[in-house]
Amino acid sequence: MPEPFRHYEDVPVIDLPADPPVPELPALDVLGGEMGSTPAQDGPAFLSELLFYSAAISASKRVPSTGERYSLRVNPSSGNLHPTEFHFITRGLIGWADGLYHYRPSSHMAEQRGLGTFELAAAIGSPIVFILTSIVWREAWKYRSRAYRYCLHDIGHAWQALALAARSMGCRSFATGRFDDNQVTQICHFHDDEWPLLVVGLAGDSIPVVPSEPKTSHWFGGRPNQLSPETIAYPLIERVHAATKILVPTVAGNPSVAPAEIRFAAPAQSSRTFGETVRKRRSAVDFVGGSRSLSLARLSTILAGAAAPFFADFSGESFIRLYLYAHRIDGLEPGVYRLGKASGELELMRSGDQRVVAAGLSLGQNLAGNACASFSLIGDLDHATSIFGDRGYRYVHFEAGAIGHRLYLAAEALGLGATGIGAFFDDEVHRYLNFSSHDGQVVYHFAIGYPAPDLRLSA
Ligand SMILES: Cc1cc2nc3c(=O)[nH]c(=O)nc-3n(C[C@H](O)[C@H](O)[C@H](O)COP(=O)(O)O)c2cc1C
């Protein structure tokens, strides 16, 4: 297993203030699109709160056989391997030098990789611009070629973690997937094991800024730590990454199409704050099976949270369709349902108990059958690539991860548990759902229910 944390050595490291304030707006309101506010008066306080609620360590687990502890973060990650790194460029933040930084979650600090004005942030026109990168080796040592997909999902989760934390603090965000990969790598001097995948700009009056003149940049750079003594190449990953690269001299732009807006009813209520919800969010290792069921109102609220609009240059249309395996939903006959694209309508595709099948399709993982509801997220790759070329492959997976992230938070806000599931038998899912080659491809699975206690966990 590679080192779980990337550090840049030989650079100034800056403390972020401890114990940032809790975003108090209910999580379900944030998911529904409401803006919060923040008391942060300066750059360090603002960044500390933003990162504490989007990327920081939030709990740990103990391995019973060895007694060893390992950390868990606000954002979930396949296998808890965390290939995503949060870099950010700032401009004009009060009490914080303009420059390029890398977030160090292990100590809630920022590594200062460069000072001055960076072209990328200037082009986007935001005072804070995040560049989310992925170190694919962190996943590939374990999941081999399939790791590329998980890295893309993780970016979708990290994007929403950031966008929703920003919203809870009164900021808008806009994600750009279309940029020149090599140019961004060059601007940020990323090591060749780290690939930029998404650029997220933040804007809003709650960001404490003063006007800032362009400054010449001073580069510290830093030496990235070596994550493993040696790595194994996965040619399929190299190929799919190369095929989805854009090599044109553009950086970021405005959305070419308006964000998709899908409305579901959101009848269930919860006053649980955004801050508490994101810090308490965990993946259930299993669910309590048996007779406890989920009300249709709560399911509808969870789906409403997932269906609220995304703000990105690839979100004009939704490429993901949800198929629901209803195991124990009050008022809903067990079966497989397809969710309507533009409403909360459920279309029954197959009736009968799905628990054994759902677990079987998810690589025999019982949690998919013990949950109250599990899902197949079906991606329309043909449609995405017809609009965006091969780059569309990435966007479909980002969207799936982003939907998964909202499902996690909505479930957590309602006192339920959830788990993203990347391991499933693709072709078996297609066969079971009677798909022809035009019906899309399964890209993610998900499960929601009553979590079984996890004794390894401590807050
Ligand atoms: C893309 C993705 C795929 C995942 N796949 C699985 C899976 O197949 N089975 C499982 O039990 N958990 C899965 N998880 C959950 C992770 O194991 C979990 O997020 C990680 O252990 C960290 O725990 P946390 O979510 O409580 O922070 C997945 C998570 C993500 C984001």
Side-chain angles (χ1 to χ4, degrees):
M1 180 175 173
E3 281 284 313
F5 295 105
R6 155 103 330 144
H7 297 308
Y8 284 87
E9 286 152 13
D10 304 329
V11 292
V13 180
I14 299 163
D15 277 321
L16 293 167
D19 300 325
V22 183
E24 295 286 357
L25 206 61
L28 290 181
D29 293 355
V30 176
L31 285 164
E34 239 182 85
M35 287 272 185
S37 59
T38 172
Q41 301 288 322
D42 61 19
F46 188 90
L47 290 167
S48 177
E49 184 179 346
L50 179 68
L51 288 159
F52 195 71
Y53 291 99
S54 59
I57 288 172
S58 55
S60 66
K61 274 190 188 174
R62 192 173 153 275
V63 184
S65 54
T66 62
E68 233 175 278
R69 288 204 161 276
Y70 60 93
S71 56
L72 300 164
R73 308 192 200 180
V74 167
N75 51 318
S77 172
S78 25
N80 197 34
L81 297 172
H82 290 282
T84 306
E85 295 294 327
F86 289 65
H87 297 261
F88 55 99
I89 297 174
T90 64
R91 190 170 177 194
L93 286 188
I94 296 171
W96 184 267
D98 291 1
L100 169 68
Y101 298 82
H102 169 247
Y103 180 54
R104 186 189 271 225
S106 57
S107 50
H108 194 51
M109 288 170 153
E111 296 163 350
Q112 191 173 53
R113 301 192 57 227
L115 282 175
T117 305
F118 282 81
E119 202 187 314
L120 191 65
I124 292 176
S126 297
I128 308 176
V129 173
F130 277 84
I131 303 105
L132 302 180
T133 64
S134 198
I135 302 177
V136 178
W137 168 244
R138 280 241 196 84
E139 289 282 323
W141 73 274
K142 182 166 184 190
Y143 296 118
R144 298 182 279 177
S145 298
R146 194 170 176 95
Y148 191 70
R149 296 189 185 185
Y150 296 170
C151 290
L152 300 180
H153 289 134
D154 274 32
I155 291 283
H157 281 280
W159 163 36
Q160 282 308 293
L162 195 55
L164 294 169
R167 189 187 288 166
S168 78
M169 296 170 65
C171 283
R172 299 181 306 281
S173 69
F174 189 77
T176 301
R178 181 184 155 73
F179 53 81
D180 177 336
D181 297 57
N182 290 353
Q183 190 188 26
V184 172
T185 297
Q186 210 179 357
I187 291 171
C188 302
H189 299 245
F190 292 133
H191 188 54
D192 58 11
D193 65 358
E194 206 175 325
W195 299 342
L197 288 173
L198 199 64
V199 175
V200 184
L202 305 188
D205 292 343
S206 66
I207 305 178
V209 280
V210 285
S212 162
E213 292 302 315
K215 300 178 185 75
T216 44
S217 45
H218 177 77
W219 188 245
F220 304 117
R223 267 184 309 111
N225 61 336
Q226 195 183 358
L227 300 174
S228 300
E230 57 187 37
T231 60
I232 298 162
Y234 287 95
L236 262 180
I237 293 183
E238 302 286 338
R239 273 169 49 204
V240 71
H241 189 64
T244 57
K245 272 187 170 184
I246 296 175
L247 302 174
V248 289
T250 60
V251 185
N254 288 321
S256 50
V257 265
E261 193 152 346
I262 304 171
R263 297 227 172 270
F264 287 82
Q269 301 290 321
S270 154
S271 57
R272 204 166 187 200
T273 66
F274 179 78
E276 188 190 350
T277 302
V278 301
R279 298 283 309 175
K280 289 270 160 64
R281 182 213 61 79
R282 287 276 67 86
S283 294
V285 284
D286 200 355
F287 296 95
V288 181
S291 59
R292 250 182 120 184
S293 59
L294 182 65
S295 71
L296 201 49
R298 291 168 106 197
L299 177 68
S300 179
T301 300
I302 292 168
L303 294 174
F310 293 110
F311 299 97
D313 62 349
F314 51 85
S315 66
E317 290 184 49
S318 169
F319 301 115
I320 297 290
R321 194 122 190 223
L322 268 66
Y323 282 65
L324 161 72
Y325 302 77
H327 304 317
R328 294 190 317 283
I329 313 287
D330 286 341
L332 205 60
E333 168 193 341
V336 183
Y337 295 81
R338 182 167 63 183
L339 263 79
K341 253 193 162 173
S343 72
E345 245 170 53
L346 295 170
E347 187 187 342
L348 182 63
M349 311 295 292
R350 229 181 157 128
S351 55
D353 190 336
Q354 304 295 320
R355 288 174 298 178
V356 173
V357 168
L361 293 176
S362 292
L363 221 71
Q365 300 184 80
N366 287 338
L367 79 175
N370 288 335
C372 294
S374 61
F375 298 89
S376 288
L377 277 68
I378 305 299
D380 193 343
L381 290 163
D382 287 347
H383 189 43
T385 51
S386 73
I387 300 175
F388 297 111
D390 288 343
R391 186 75 150 200
Y393 180 84
R394 296 187 187 180
Y395 300 161
V396 172
H397 291 80
F398 293 163
E399 187 186 334
I403 289 173
H405 199 71
R406 289 171 170 201
L407 292 174
Y408 263 118
L409 294 187
E412 184 72 43
L414 291 170
L416 298 160
T419 306
I421 302 177
F424 45 80
F425 293 109
D426 301 65
D427 292 344
E428 293 303 325
V429 174
H430 300 158
R431 265 194 286 277
Y432 189 67
L433 297 177
N434 279 328
F435 276 9
S436 73
S437 58
H438 302 299
D439 289 321
Q441 286 183 39
V442 57
V443 289
Y444 201 14
H445 271 189
F446 209 85
I448 295 174
Y450 296 94
D454 185 352
L455 300 176
R456 299 168 304 163
L457 186 65
S458 51

